[in-house]
Amino acid sequence: MPYITTPDGTEIYYTELGEGRPVIFSHGWPLNSDAWQKELKIFADAGYRVIAHDRRGHGRSSRTYRGNDMDTYVADLASLVEQLDLQDVLLVGHSTGGGEVVRYAATRGAGRVSKVATAGAVPPVMLQSATNPEGTPLEVFDSIRAGVLNDRSQFYKDLAESFFGFNHQPEKRSQGLVDDFQRQGMMAGLNAAYDCVKVFSETDFTKDLEALDVPILLAHGDDDQIVPIAAAAERAITLVSQGTLKVYPGASHGIWGEYQVALDDDILAFFAE
């Protein structure tokens, strides 16, 4: 299996398909690059060289005790781009991965990144505060940490229901999606999964969005129960200079079904512009 090794010795697993202009996919928590399997095929078939990596502590990458913070995630992504010597890069990030690609493009991607697309992404900041009243209360993230620490296998099964919106659309429920969500979650080290809750909920990407100097597509479902749109994409679009907001009615946080088909088509069209 292909790996790159970061300056601190962490092994980052990645997978790639196809040839052409590079597209990097960054996954959400607590998943890994397997979450992008459909996109890897579709985008490769469309003529791109597609690459997806497992964030440190997740999937097949090193199970790290240290470095579970956004700046280190971004440094790992930079190592991947540099070691593969990628140019004219297109970035796609979901949820936590959306924050990762935004910060990378704003702080480390000058001269390499051409466009960014995010879906259900966490920027600007998820945590509720006096300046972010539409954010999510700290108690919610504390309950996520408790679930990960105490019975993560069952917690991931339960979380999948709202992640994919099955609690709102029970007639569309897929046991396969629930099982795969739990499988990918269990591939993440407990320590990294626990620490990453603080990363995706408390990291402030406001300055990154303001500094972004390439076009960005901000895609978001209006029934996203994990990263509610009001504190995320609807705020992010006001901070970027070259942004397009695309809202998907009834779409959940998880990328699946009709939402996945429409999202993939929209990102391909955005990259082709």
Side-chain angles (χ1 to χ4, degrees), residues 22-27 36 39 43 51-53 55 77 89-95 97-98 100-102 115-119 217 255 263-264 267-268 270-271:
V23 182
I24 297 179
F25 293 88
S26 182
H27 63 81
W36 294 114
E39 283 69 31
F43 281 67
I51 300 158
H53 64 294
R55 188 169 296 117
L77 176 56
V89 178
L90 303 165
L91 298 173
V92 182
H94 173 233
S95 195
E100 181 178 285
V101 299
V102 163
K115 289 184 178 180
V116 179
T118 64
L217 174 66
I255 302 171
L263 176 66
D264 289 344
I267 295 176
L268 282 169
F270 173 65
F271 285 166

PDB file of all heavy atoms in Angstrom, residues 22-27 36 39 43 51-53 55 77 89-95 97-98 100-102 115-119 217 255 263-264 267-268 270-271:
ATOM      1  N   PRO A  22      -4.456  16.736 -10.977  1.00  0.00           N
ATOM      2  CA  PRO A  22      -4.681  16.083  -9.684  1.00  0.00           C
ATOM      3  C   PRO A  22      -5.852  16.667  -8.893  1.00  0.00           C
ATOM      4  O   PRO A  22      -6.027  17.884  -8.818  1.00  0.00           O
ATOM      5  CB  PRO A  22      -3.360  16.313  -8.947  1.00  0.00           C
ATOM      6  CG  PRO A  22      -2.800  17.557  -9.540  1.00  0.00           C
ATOM      7  CD  PRO A  22      -3.224  17.552 -10.984  1.00  0.00           C
ATOM      8  N   VAL A  23      -6.635  15.778  -8.315  1.00  0.00           N
ATOM      9  CA  VAL A  23      -7.706  16.136  -7.382  1.00  0.00           C
ATOM     10  C   VAL A  23      -7.442  15.398  -6.081  1.00  0.00           C
ATOM     11  O   VAL A  23      -7.301  14.168  -6.077  1.00  0.00           O
ATOM     12  CB  VAL A  23      -9.098  15.733  -7.909  1.00  0.00           C
ATOM     13  CG1 VAL A  23     -10.183  16.173  -6.924  1.00  0.00           C
ATOM     14  CG2 VAL A  23      -9.364  16.320  -9.288  1.00  0.00           C
ATOM     15  N   ILE A  24      -7.363  16.130  -4.991  1.00  0.00           N
ATOM     16  CA  ILE A  24      -7.170  15.522  -3.668  1.00  0.00           C
ATOM     17  C   ILE A  24      -8.470  15.609  -2.875  1.00  0.00           C
ATOM     18  O   ILE A  24      -9.077  16.674  -2.779  1.00  0.00           O
ATOM     19  CB  ILE A  24      -6.044  16.220  -2.885  1.00  0.00           C
ATOM     20  CG1 ILE A  24      -4.711  16.058  -3.613  1.00  0.00           C
ATOM     21  CG2 ILE A  24      -5.945  15.653  -1.470  1.00  0.00           C
ATOM     22  CD1 ILE A  24      -3.551  16.750  -2.904  1.00  0.00           C
ATOM     23  N   PHE A  25      -8.873  14.479  -2.309  1.00  0.00           N
ATOM     24  CA  PHE A  25     -10.079  14.386  -1.494  1.00  0.00           C
ATOM     25  C   PHE A  25      -9.687  14.224  -0.023  1.00  0.00           C
ATOM     26  O   PHE A  25      -8.900  13.336   0.319  1.00  0.00           O
ATOM     27  CB  PHE A  25     -10.929  13.195  -1.919  1.00  0.00           C
ATOM     28  CG  PHE A  25     -11.529  13.317  -3.296  1.00  0.00           C
ATOM     29  CD1 PHE A  25     -10.815  12.883  -4.407  1.00  0.00           C
ATOM     30  CD2 PHE A  25     -12.788  13.861  -3.475  1.00  0.00           C
ATOM     31  CE1 PHE A  25     -11.354  12.992  -5.686  1.00  0.00           C
ATOM     32  CE2 PHE A  25     -13.337  13.971  -4.743  1.00  0.00           C
ATOM     33  CZ  PHE A  25     -12.621  13.537  -5.851  1.00  0.00           C
ATOM     34  N   SER A  26     -10.257  15.067   0.840  1.00  0.00           N
ATOM     35  CA  SER A  26      -9.984  15.012   2.276  1.00  0.00           C
ATOM     36  C   SER A  26     -11.274  14.644   3.008  1.00  0.00           C
ATOM     37  O   SER A  26     -12.300  15.315   2.861  1.00  0.00           O
ATOM     38  CB  SER A  26      -9.446  16.358   2.761  1.00  0.00           C
ATOM     39  OG  SER A  26      -9.130  16.311   4.129  1.00  0.00           O
ATOM     40  N   HIS A  27     -11.202  13.596   3.794  1.00  0.00           N
ATOM     41  CA  HIS A  27     -12.405  13.007   4.401  1.00  0.00           C
ATOM     42  C   HIS A  27     -12.824  13.693   5.700  1.00  0.00           C
ATOM     43  O   HIS A  27     -12.075  14.438   6.322  1.00  0.00           O
ATOM     44  CB  HIS A  27     -12.177  11.515   4.667  1.00  0.00           C
ATOM     45  CG  HIS A  27     -11.079  11.231   5.654  1.00  0.00           C
ATOM     46  ND1 HIS A  27     -11.263  11.296   7.022  1.00  0.00           N
ATOM     47  CD2 HIS A  27      -9.782  10.864   5.480  1.00  0.00           C
ATOM     48  CE1 HIS A  27     -10.140  10.984   7.638  1.00  0.00           C
ATOM     49  NE2 HIS A  27      -9.213  10.720   6.718  1.00  0.00           N
ATOM     50  N   TRP A  36     -14.477   8.093   0.042  1.00  0.00           N
ATOM     51  CA  TRP A  36     -14.437   8.716  -1.288  1.00  0.00           C
ATOM     52  C   TRP A  36     -14.358   7.688  -2.414  1.00  0.00           C
ATOM     53  O   TRP A  36     -14.058   8.057  -3.558  1.00  0.00           O
ATOM     54  CB  TRP A  36     -13.235   9.649  -1.391  1.00  0.00           C
ATOM     55  CG  TRP A  36     -13.268  10.853  -0.514  1.00  0.00           C
ATOM     56  CD1 TRP A  36     -12.433  11.141   0.524  1.00  0.00           C
ATOM     57  CD2 TRP A  36     -14.162  11.978  -0.620  1.00  0.00           C
ATOM     58  NE1 TRP A  36     -12.748  12.364   1.071  1.00  0.00           N
ATOM     59  CE2 TRP A  36     -13.804  12.899   0.393  1.00  0.00           C
ATOM     60  CE3 TRP A  36     -15.225  12.288  -1.464  1.00  0.00           C
ATOM     61  CZ2 TRP A  36     -14.479  14.106   0.577  1.00  0.00           C
ATOM     62  CZ3 TRP A  36     -15.904  13.487  -1.287  1.00  0.00           C
ATOM     63  CH2 TRP A  36     -15.527  14.382  -0.274  1.00  0.00           C
ATOM     64  N   GLU A  39     -16.306   8.622  -5.560  1.00  0.00           N
ATOM     65  CA  GLU A  39     -15.734   9.803  -6.221  1.00  0.00           C
ATOM     66  C   GLU A  39     -14.408   9.475  -6.901  1.00  0.00           C
ATOM     67  O   GLU A  39     -14.110  10.009  -7.983  1.00  0.00           O
ATOM     68  CB  GLU A  39     -15.534  10.930  -5.212  1.00  0.00           C
ATOM     69  CG  GLU A  39     -16.810  11.670  -4.835  1.00  0.00           C
ATOM     70  CD  GLU A  39     -17.779  10.832  -4.015  1.00  0.00           C
ATOM     71  OE1 GLU A  39     -17.313   9.961  -3.254  1.00  0.00           O
ATOM     72  OE2 GLU A  39     -19.004  11.024  -4.153  1.00  0.00           O
ATOM     73  N   PHE A  43     -14.332  10.520 -10.769  1.00  0.00           N
ATOM     74  CA  PHE A  43     -13.425  11.589 -11.184  1.00  0.00           C
ATOM     75  C   PHE A  43     -12.267  11.036 -12.028  1.00  0.00           C
ATOM     76  O   PHE A  43     -11.812  11.704 -12.960  1.00  0.00           O
ATOM     77  CB  PHE A  43     -12.915  12.358  -9.970  1.00  0.00           C
ATOM     78  CG  PHE A  43     -13.900  13.362  -9.422  1.00  0.00           C
ATOM     79  CD1 PHE A  43     -15.089  12.951  -8.832  1.00  0.00           C
ATOM     80  CD2 PHE A  43     -13.644  14.724  -9.488  1.00  0.00           C
ATOM     81  CE1 PHE A  43     -16.002  13.865  -8.335  1.00  0.00           C
ATOM     82  CE2 PHE A  43     -14.541  15.651  -8.985  1.00  0.00           C
ATOM     83  CZ  PHE A  43     -15.733  15.224  -8.414  1.00  0.00           C
ATOM     84  N   ILE A  51      -6.619  11.430  -5.753  1.00  0.00           N
ATOM     85  CA  ILE A  51      -5.826  11.002  -4.597  1.00  0.00           C
ATOM     86  C   ILE A  51      -6.644  11.250  -3.340  1.00  0.00           C
ATOM     87  O   ILE A  51      -7.232  12.330  -3.169  1.00  0.00           O
ATOM     88  CB  ILE A  51      -4.507  11.788  -4.524  1.00  0.00           C
ATOM     89  CG1 ILE A  51      -3.672  11.571  -5.795  1.00  0.00           C
ATOM     90  CG2 ILE A  51      -3.708  11.403  -3.280  1.00  0.00           C
ATOM     91  CD1 ILE A  51      -2.655  12.648  -6.051  1.00  0.00           C
ATOM     92  N   ALA A  52      -6.697  10.269  -2.462  1.00  0.00           N
ATOM     93  CA  ALA A  52      -7.360  10.437  -1.172  1.00  0.00           C
ATOM     94  C   ALA A  52      -6.467   9.811  -0.106  1.00  0.00           C
ATOM     95  O   ALA A  52      -5.931   8.726  -0.301  1.00  0.00           O
ATOM     96  CB  ALA A  52      -8.738   9.783  -1.164  1.00  0.00           C
ATOM     97  N   HIS A  53      -6.326  10.514   1.010  1.00  0.00           N
ATOM     98  CA  HIS A  53      -5.441  10.021   2.065  1.00  0.00           C
ATOM     99  C   HIS A  53      -6.232   9.793   3.352  1.00  0.00           C
ATOM    100  O   HIS A  53      -7.320  10.362   3.540  1.00  0.00           O
ATOM    101  CB  HIS A  53      -4.312  11.023   2.333  1.00  0.00           C
ATOM    102  CG  HIS A  53      -4.763  12.346   2.863  1.00  0.00           C
ATOM    103  ND1 HIS A  53      -5.530  13.231   2.128  1.00  0.00           N
ATOM    104  CD2 HIS A  53      -4.573  12.949   4.070  1.00  0.00           C
ATOM    105  CE1 HIS A  53      -5.779  14.314   2.847  1.00  0.00           C
ATOM    106  NE2 HIS A  53      -5.218  14.162   4.035  1.00  0.00           N
ATOM    107  N   ARG A  55      -6.312  10.607   7.141  1.00  0.00           N
ATOM    108  CA  ARG A  55      -5.734  11.552   8.098  1.00  0.00           C
ATOM    109  C   ARG A  55      -4.966  10.791   9.196  1.00  0.00           C
ATOM    110  O   ARG A  55      -5.329   9.664   9.548  1.00  0.00           O
ATOM    111  CB  ARG A  55      -6.865  12.386   8.708  1.00  0.00           C
ATOM    112  CG  ARG A  55      -6.423  13.536   9.590  1.00  0.00           C
ATOM    113  CD  ARG A  55      -7.614  14.437   9.919  1.00  0.00           C
ATOM    114  NE  ARG A  55      -8.123  15.041   8.698  1.00  0.00           N
ATOM    115  CZ  ARG A  55      -9.353  14.821   8.228  1.00  0.00           C
ATOM    116  NH1 ARG A  55     -10.177  14.025   8.859  1.00  0.00           N
ATOM    117  NH2 ARG A  55      -9.733  15.392   7.102  1.00  0.00           N
ATOM    118  N   LEU A  77      -0.947  17.141   4.861  1.00  0.00           N
ATOM    119  CA  LEU A  77      -1.432  17.309   3.497  1.00  0.00           C
ATOM    120  C   LEU A  77      -0.364  17.964   2.620  1.00  0.00           C
ATOM    121  O   LEU A  77      -0.149  17.552   1.467  1.00  0.00           O
ATOM    122  CB  LEU A  77      -2.715  18.138   3.490  1.00  0.00           C
ATOM    123  CG  LEU A  77      -3.318  18.488   2.134  1.00  0.00           C
ATOM    124  CD1 LEU A  77      -3.583  17.241   1.297  1.00  0.00           C
ATOM    125  CD2 LEU A  77      -4.608  19.296   2.321  1.00  0.00           C
ATOM    126  N   VAL A  89      -3.438  21.902  -8.436  1.00  0.00           N
ATOM    127  CA  VAL A  89      -4.223  20.956  -7.649  1.00  0.00           C
ATOM    128  C   VAL A  89      -5.646  21.462  -7.429  1.00  0.00           C
ATOM    129  O   VAL A  89      -5.881  22.644  -7.162  1.00  0.00           O
ATOM    130  CB  VAL A  89      -3.544  20.710  -6.285  1.00  0.00           C
ATOM    131  CG1 VAL A  89      -4.363  19.758  -5.437  1.00  0.00           C
ATOM    132  CG2 VAL A  89      -2.131  20.180  -6.482  1.00  0.00           C
ATOM    133  N   LEU A  90      -6.572  20.535  -7.503  1.00  0.00           N
ATOM    134  CA  LEU A  90      -7.973  20.771  -7.152  1.00  0.00           C
ATOM    135  C   LEU A  90      -8.239  20.038  -5.843  1.00  0.00           C
ATOM    136  O   LEU A  90      -7.867  18.873  -5.698  1.00  0.00           O
ATOM    137  CB  LEU A  90      -8.888  20.238  -8.254  1.00  0.00           C
ATOM    138  CG  LEU A  90      -8.623  20.812  -9.648  1.00  0.00           C
ATOM    139  CD1 LEU A  90      -9.309  19.966 -10.713  1.00  0.00           C
ATOM    140  CD2 LEU A  90      -9.077  22.261  -9.731  1.00  0.00           C
ATOM    141  N   LEU A  91      -8.860  20.724  -4.896  1.00  0.00           N
ATOM    142  CA  LEU A  91      -9.079  20.155  -3.568  1.00  0.00           C
ATOM    143  C   LEU A  91     -10.566  19.961  -3.293  1.00  0.00           C
ATOM    144  O   LEU A  91     -11.383  20.831  -3.624  1.00  0.00           O
ATOM    145  CB  LEU A  91      -8.508  21.082  -2.494  1.00  0.00           C
ATOM    146  CG  LEU A  91      -7.004  21.345  -2.507  1.00  0.00           C
ATOM    147  CD1 LEU A  91      -6.658  22.414  -1.488  1.00  0.00           C
ATOM    148  CD2 LEU A  91      -6.231  20.061  -2.206  1.00  0.00           C
ATOM    149  N   VAL A  92     -10.896  18.842  -2.673  1.00  0.00           N
ATOM    150  CA  VAL A  92     -12.261  18.562  -2.241  1.00  0.00           C
ATOM    151  C   VAL A  92     -12.211  18.124  -0.788  1.00  0.00           C
ATOM    152  O   VAL A  92     -11.452  17.212  -0.438  1.00  0.00           O
ATOM    153  CB  VAL A  92     -12.928  17.453  -3.090  1.00  0.00           C
ATOM    154  CG1 VAL A  92     -14.378  17.238  -2.639  1.00  0.00           C
ATOM    155  CG2 VAL A  92     -12.873  17.786  -4.576  1.00  0.00           C
ATOM    156  N   GLY A  93     -13.007  18.762   0.066  1.00  0.00           N
ATOM    157  CA  GLY A  93     -13.014  18.396   1.476  1.00  0.00           C
ATOM    158  C   GLY A  93     -14.416  18.292   2.027  1.00  0.00           C
ATOM    159  O   GLY A  93     -15.267  19.145   1.757  1.00  0.00           O
ATOM    160  N   HIS A  94     -14.662  17.243   2.797  1.00  0.00           N
ATOM    161  CA  HIS A  94     -15.959  17.044   3.451  1.00  0.00           C
ATOM    162  C   HIS A  94     -15.804  17.230   4.953  1.00  0.00           C
ATOM    163  O   HIS A  94     -14.866  16.694   5.554  1.00  0.00           O
ATOM    164  CB  HIS A  94     -16.482  15.632   3.172  1.00  0.00           C
ATOM    165  CG  HIS A  94     -17.720  15.269   3.928  1.00  0.00           C
ATOM    166  ND1 HIS A  94     -17.822  14.138   4.699  1.00  0.00           N
ATOM    167  CD2 HIS A  94     -18.921  15.910   4.040  1.00  0.00           C
ATOM    168  CE1 HIS A  94     -19.023  14.083   5.255  1.00  0.00           C
ATOM    169  NE2 HIS A  94     -19.709  15.137   4.865  1.00  0.00           N
ATOM    170  N   SER A  95     -16.670  18.030   5.556  1.00  0.00           N
ATOM    171  CA  SER A  95     -16.726  18.179   7.004  1.00  0.00           C
ATOM    172  C   SER A  95     -15.382  18.662   7.561  1.00  0.00           C
ATOM    173  O   SER A  95     -14.908  19.733   7.198  1.00  0.00           O
ATOM    174  CB  SER A  95     -17.168  16.859   7.639  1.00  0.00           C
ATOM    175  OG  SER A  95     -17.563  17.025   8.972  1.00  0.00           O
ATOM    176  N   GLY A  97     -12.542  17.587   6.767  1.00  0.00           N
ATOM    177  CA  GLY A  97     -11.687  17.711   5.598  1.00  0.00           C
ATOM    178  C   GLY A  97     -11.882  19.015   4.854  1.00  0.00           C
ATOM    179  O   GLY A  97     -10.963  19.517   4.195  1.00  0.00           O
ATOM    180  N   GLY A  98     -13.087  19.601   4.961  1.00  0.00           N
ATOM    181  CA  GLY A  98     -13.319  20.903   4.364  1.00  0.00           C
ATOM    182  C   GLY A  98     -12.485  21.978   5.027  1.00  0.00           C
ATOM    183  O   GLY A  98     -11.935  22.870   4.367  1.00  0.00           O
ATOM    184  N   GLU A 100      -9.661  21.354   6.555  1.00  0.00           N
ATOM    185  CA  GLU A 100      -8.276  21.020   6.214  1.00  0.00           C
ATOM    186  C   GLU A 100      -7.877  21.607   4.863  1.00  0.00           C
ATOM    187  O   GLU A 100      -6.813  22.228   4.732  1.00  0.00           O
ATOM    188  CB  GLU A 100      -8.123  19.501   6.196  1.00  0.00           C
ATOM    189  CG  GLU A 100      -6.729  18.998   5.891  1.00  0.00           C
ATOM    190  CD  GLU A 100      -6.683  17.477   5.957  1.00  0.00           C
ATOM    191  OE1 GLU A 100      -6.699  16.923   7.072  1.00  0.00           O
ATOM    192  OE2 GLU A 100      -6.660  16.837   4.894  1.00  0.00           O
ATOM    193  N   VAL A 101      -8.726  21.446   3.845  1.00  0.00           N
ATOM    194  CA  VAL A 101      -8.343  21.939   2.517  1.00  0.00           C
ATOM    195  C   VAL A 101      -8.400  23.457   2.438  1.00  0.00           C
ATOM    196  O   VAL A 101      -7.601  24.079   1.725  1.00  0.00           O
ATOM    197  CB  VAL A 101      -9.188  21.285   1.400  1.00  0.00           C
ATOM    198  CG1 VAL A 101      -8.977  19.778   1.386  1.00  0.00           C
ATOM    199  CG2 VAL A 101     -10.662  21.626   1.505  1.00  0.00           C
ATOM    200  N   VAL A 102      -9.330  24.079   3.178  1.00  0.00           N
ATOM    201  CA  VAL A 102      -9.389  25.541   3.195  1.00  0.00           C
ATOM    202  C   VAL A 102      -8.126  26.118   3.826  1.00  0.00           C
ATOM    203  O   VAL A 102      -7.507  27.048   3.282  1.00  0.00           O
ATOM    204  CB  VAL A 102     -10.645  26.028   3.944  1.00  0.00           C
ATOM    205  CG1 VAL A 102     -10.524  27.505   4.334  1.00  0.00           C
ATOM    206  CG2 VAL A 102     -11.885  25.825   3.084  1.00  0.00           C
ATOM    207  N   LYS A 115      -8.322  25.437  -7.316  1.00  0.00           N
ATOM    208  CA  LYS A 115      -9.714  25.567  -6.881  1.00  0.00           C
ATOM    209  C   LYS A 115      -9.950  24.673  -5.670  1.00  0.00           C
ATOM    210  O   LYS A 115      -9.238  23.690  -5.450  1.00  0.00           O
ATOM    211  CB  LYS A 115     -10.697  25.166  -7.989  1.00  0.00           C
ATOM    212  CG  LYS A 115     -10.779  26.145  -9.150  1.00  0.00           C
ATOM    213  CD  LYS A 115     -11.851  25.713 -10.151  1.00  0.00           C
ATOM    214  CE  LYS A 115     -11.964  26.713 -11.299  1.00  0.00           C
ATOM    215  NZ  LYS A 115     -12.990  26.304 -12.278  1.00  0.00           N
ATOM    216  N   VAL A 116     -10.986  25.034  -4.910  1.00  0.00           N
ATOM    217  CA  VAL A 116     -11.372  24.278  -3.719  1.00  0.00           C
ATOM    218  C   VAL A 116     -12.878  24.036  -3.762  1.00  0.00           C
ATOM    219  O   VAL A 116     -13.648  24.941  -4.106  1.00  0.00           O
ATOM    220  CB  VAL A 116     -11.016  25.043  -2.425  1.00  0.00           C
ATOM    221  CG1 VAL A 116     -11.457  24.257  -1.192  1.00  0.00           C
ATOM    222  CG2 VAL A 116      -9.531  25.354  -2.373  1.00  0.00           C
ATOM    223  N   ALA A 117     -13.292  22.835  -3.402  1.00  0.00           N
ATOM    224  CA  ALA A 117     -14.713  22.532  -3.232  1.00  0.00           C
ATOM    225  C   ALA A 117     -14.899  21.877  -1.869  1.00  0.00           C
ATOM    226  O   ALA A 117     -14.123  20.993  -1.497  1.00  0.00           O
ATOM    227  CB  ALA A 117     -15.207  21.602  -4.339  1.00  0.00           C
ATOM    228  N   THR A 118     -15.894  22.322  -1.135  1.00  0.00           N
ATOM    229  CA  THR A 118     -16.176  21.714   0.166  1.00  0.00           C
ATOM    230  C   THR A 118     -17.628  21.268   0.214  1.00  0.00           C
ATOM    231  O   THR A 118     -18.486  21.803  -0.486  1.00  0.00           O
ATOM    232  CB  THR A 118     -15.916  22.683   1.330  1.00  0.00           C
ATOM    233  OG1 THR A 118     -16.827  23.791   1.250  1.00  0.00           O
ATOM    234  CG2 THR A 118     -14.482  23.187   1.316  1.00  0.00           C
ATOM    235  N   ALA A 119     -17.901  20.283   1.065  1.00  0.00           N
ATOM    236  CA  ALA A 119     -19.255  19.773   1.255  1.00  0.00           C
ATOM    237  C   ALA A 119     -19.487  19.573   2.750  1.00  0.00           C
ATOM    238  O   ALA A 119     -18.699  18.888   3.406  1.00  0.00           O
ATOM    239  CB  ALA A 119     -19.450  18.459   0.509  1.00  0.00           C
ATOM    240  N   LEU A 217     -16.140  26.424  -4.122  1.00  0.00           N
ATOM    241  CA  LEU A 217     -17.531  26.001  -4.146  1.00  0.00           C
ATOM    242  C   LEU A 217     -17.884  25.501  -2.762  1.00  0.00           C
ATOM    243  O   LEU A 217     -17.277  24.557  -2.259  1.00  0.00           O
ATOM    244  CB  LEU A 217     -17.739  24.884  -5.178  1.00  0.00           C
ATOM    245  CG  LEU A 217     -19.129  24.237  -5.200  1.00  0.00           C
ATOM    246  CD1 LEU A 217     -20.192  25.244  -5.648  1.00  0.00           C
ATOM    247  CD2 LEU A 217     -19.135  22.999  -6.097  1.00  0.00           C
ATOM    248  N   ILE A 255     -22.681  12.097   2.567  1.00  0.00           N
ATOM    249  CA  ILE A 255     -22.817  12.222   1.119  1.00  0.00           C
ATOM    250  C   ILE A 255     -23.278  10.874   0.566  1.00  0.00           C
ATOM    251  O   ILE A 255     -22.516   9.900   0.547  1.00  0.00           O
ATOM    252  CB  ILE A 255     -21.475  12.648   0.488  1.00  0.00           C
ATOM    253  CG1 ILE A 255     -21.007  13.978   1.082  1.00  0.00           C
ATOM    254  CG2 ILE A 255     -21.595  12.749  -1.028  1.00  0.00           C
ATOM    255  CD1 ILE A 255     -19.592  14.376   0.676  1.00  0.00           C
ATOM    256  N   LEU A 263     -24.031  16.365  -6.187  1.00  0.00           N
ATOM    257  CA  LEU A 263     -22.804  16.998  -5.710  1.00  0.00           C
ATOM    258  C   LEU A 263     -21.628  16.671  -6.628  1.00  0.00           C
ATOM    259  O   LEU A 263     -20.867  17.570  -7.009  1.00  0.00           O
ATOM    260  CB  LEU A 263     -22.509  16.539  -4.285  1.00  0.00           C
ATOM    261  CG  LEU A 263     -21.197  17.049  -3.676  1.00  0.00           C
ATOM    262  CD1 LEU A 263     -21.242  18.565  -3.497  1.00  0.00           C
ATOM    263  CD2 LEU A 263     -20.924  16.365  -2.334  1.00  0.00           C
ATOM    264  N   ASP A 264     -21.476  15.416  -6.986  1.00  0.00           N
ATOM    265  CA  ASP A 264     -20.367  15.037  -7.863  1.00  0.00           C
ATOM    266  C   ASP A 264     -20.461  15.755  -9.198  1.00  0.00           C
ATOM    267  O   ASP A 264     -19.455  16.249  -9.735  1.00  0.00           O
ATOM    268  CB  ASP A 264     -20.349  13.521  -8.066  1.00  0.00           C
ATOM    269  CG  ASP A 264     -19.929  12.751  -6.826  1.00  0.00           C
ATOM    270  OD1 ASP A 264     -19.362  13.376  -5.909  1.00  0.00           O
ATOM    271  OD2 ASP A 264     -20.166  11.530  -6.771  1.00  0.00           O
ATOM    272  N   ILE A 267     -19.432  19.451  -8.678  1.00  0.00           N
ATOM    273  CA  ILE A 267     -17.991  19.655  -8.484  1.00  0.00           C
ATOM    274  C   ILE A 267     -17.259  19.455  -9.800  1.00  0.00           C
ATOM    275  O   ILE A 267     -16.347  20.237 -10.146  1.00  0.00           O
ATOM    276  CB  ILE A 267     -17.443  18.716  -7.393  1.00  0.00           C
ATOM    277  CG1 ILE A 267     -18.054  19.067  -6.025  1.00  0.00           C
ATOM    278  CG2 ILE A 267     -15.921  18.833  -7.310  1.00  0.00           C
ATOM    279  CD1 ILE A 267     -17.651  18.128  -4.911  1.00  0.00           C
ATOM    280  N   LEU A 268     -17.630  18.446 -10.563  1.00  0.00           N
ATOM    281  CA  LEU A 268     -16.997  18.236 -11.863  1.00  0.00           C
ATOM    282  C   LEU A 268     -17.207  19.439 -12.772  1.00  0.00           C
ATOM    283  O   LEU A 268     -16.276  19.893 -13.466  1.00  0.00           O
ATOM    284  CB  LEU A 268     -17.554  16.971 -12.521  1.00  0.00           C
ATOM    285  CG  LEU A 268     -17.004  15.650 -11.998  1.00  0.00           C
ATOM    286  CD1 LEU A 268     -17.836  14.490 -12.536  1.00  0.00           C
ATOM    287  CD2 LEU A 268     -15.550  15.455 -12.350  1.00  0.00           C
ATOM    288  N   PHE A 270     -17.767  22.543 -11.796  1.00  0.00           N
ATOM    289  CA  PHE A 270     -16.989  23.647 -11.216  1.00  0.00           C
ATOM    290  C   PHE A 270     -15.519  23.531 -11.591  1.00  0.00           C
ATOM    291  O   PHE A 270     -14.875  24.523 -11.951  1.00  0.00           O
ATOM    292  CB  PHE A 270     -17.173  23.619  -9.692  1.00  0.00           C
ATOM    293  CG  PHE A 270     -16.310  24.572  -8.923  1.00  0.00           C
ATOM    294  CD1 PHE A 270     -16.448  25.943  -9.068  1.00  0.00           C
ATOM    295  CD2 PHE A 270     -15.358  24.092  -8.033  1.00  0.00           C
ATOM    296  CE1 PHE A 270     -15.645  26.827  -8.353  1.00  0.00           C
ATOM    297  CE2 PHE A 270     -14.560  24.967  -7.304  1.00  0.00           C
ATOM    298  CZ  PHE A 270     -14.706  26.334  -7.462  1.00  0.00           C
ATOM    299  N   PHE A 271     -14.973  22.335 -11.537  1.00  0.00           N
ATOM    300  CA  PHE A 271     -13.571  22.137 -11.891  1.00  0.00           C
ATOM    301  C   PHE A 271     -13.318  22.347 -13.379  1.00  0.00           C
ATOM    302  O   PHE A 271     -12.220  22.711 -13.790  1.00  0.00           O
ATOM    303  CB  PHE A 271     -13.111  20.743 -11.481  1.00  0.00           C
ATOM    304  CG  PHE A 271     -12.892  20.575 -10.000  1.00  0.00           C
ATOM    305  CD1 PHE A 271     -12.760  19.308  -9.442  1.00  0.00           C
ATOM    306  CD2 PHE A 271     -12.803  21.675  -9.151  1.00  0.00           C
ATOM    307  CE1 PHE A 271     -12.543  19.145  -8.079  1.00  0.00           C
ATOM    308  CE2 PHE A 271     -12.589  21.524  -7.793  1.00  0.00           C
ATOM    309  CZ  PHE A 271     -12.457  20.252  -7.252  1.00  0.00           C
TER     310      PHE A 271
END
